[in-house]
Amino acid sequence: MFNRRSVLSGLAAGLVAASTPFATIAQEKLPVVASFSILGDFVRQVGGDRVNVTTLVGPDGDAHVYSPTPADAKTMATAKLIVVNGLKFEGWMTRLIKSSGTKAMIATATTGITPLKGDDDHGKAGHAHGHGHDHDIDPHAWQSVANAKVYVANIRDALVKADPAGKDAYEANATRYLAELDAVEGEIRAAVARIPAGRRKAITSHDAFGYFVKAYGIAFIAPQGVSTEAEASARDVARIIRQVKAEKVPAVFLENVTNPRLVEQIARESGAKIGGRIYSDALSDASGPAGTYIAMMKYNISEIEKALAANPA
Ligand code: ZN
């Protein structure tokens, strides 16, 4: 039999042992900054409850033209890890890192991905305006699920480096999430296969779907280049309206991060229908249809399939 004293001291020791790690976790979650909402979701998926993620460019935000705030600089200064897309997506980031004085580790999520070039036609239009060279690289690599898996692997490795004690958790979370991404890849391919080959083409306002086009074989044409920074030229818009008519492009899509006016004009003048609003460079907020990367990819392909199907309702 235990005497009362030893039971009590045993209990007390048990309480201390059980409570200390919880208190430590609550106080010392790894502070991570993600430059935009899609990266924020990846970090949450892999980091789970070991990380505290702050996203700079939030839901429906346009990271191409973001202006960092003083609060962003403070967040950066206290971060242990900063995750960026790279490929010139966040042109404002280098200066923010410098001005914040952060000592955080910087992880570029697209490391190892083969970048696509921006559309040549837009390059030429850009030259006419004097800023064609800035946007030669297409930064929207997340629009292919195979690339998203590279992002996740890079983020996993960065988290392990920044917080070695969490290695097992990060690896287990990443393995589970990568398997979910494989399933999404299969769903997208199956949906594309259901769209008649001659109708696998659409318009968006800015050129955000180059990696999607390459991976899944639906042609997206855009009057605006791979950044939202430069306006579409009247000539590019006119050319696309002619192309929509000549090639009978079934649908144009609005984007969550861009002004709908341009695409509405193309629809009106070409007779193509508006196929809905898809998510290019940012998630929706949690109550919307694209609150996570996986929800976004599923929502986009379901909107695309609905609009391009042979017999729209
Ligand atoms: Zn974009």
Side-chain angles (χ1 to χ4, degrees), residues 102-115:
T102 184
K103 302 278 185 291
M105 192 179 126
I106 316 279
T108 303
T110 53
T111 299
I113 285 170
T114 306

Side-chain angles (χ1 to χ4, degrees), residues 181-244:
L181 290 178
D182 282 334
V184 174
E185 171 87 4
E187 286 178 41
I188 294 173
R189 292 192 182 281
V192 172
R194 289 190 293 266
I195 300 169
R199 293 177 61 88
R200 291 176 196 164
K201 49 196 173 188
I203 307 292
T204 52
S205 52
H206 93 293
D207 207 357
F209 292 90
Y211 295 87
F212 187 92
V213 170
K214 186 155 187 264
Y216 307 115
I218 292 181
F220 274 91
I221 309 152
Q224 223 179 346
V226 292
S227 173
T228 55
E229 215 170 336
E231 299 259 325
S233 72
R235 214 189 58 187
D236 282 339
V237 175
R239 175 177 57 80
I240 282 194
I241 289 169
R242 284 196 304 276
Q243 195 174 356
V244 170

Side-chain angles (χ1 to χ4, degrees), residues 62 64 89 138-140 142 206-208 225-228 255 257-258 280-281:
D62 182 353
H64 291 291
F89 185 49
D138 184 343
H140 308 91
W142 62 84
H206 93 293
D207 207 357
V226 292
S227 173
T228 55
E255 286 174 53
V257 299
T258 56
S280 49
D281 294 16

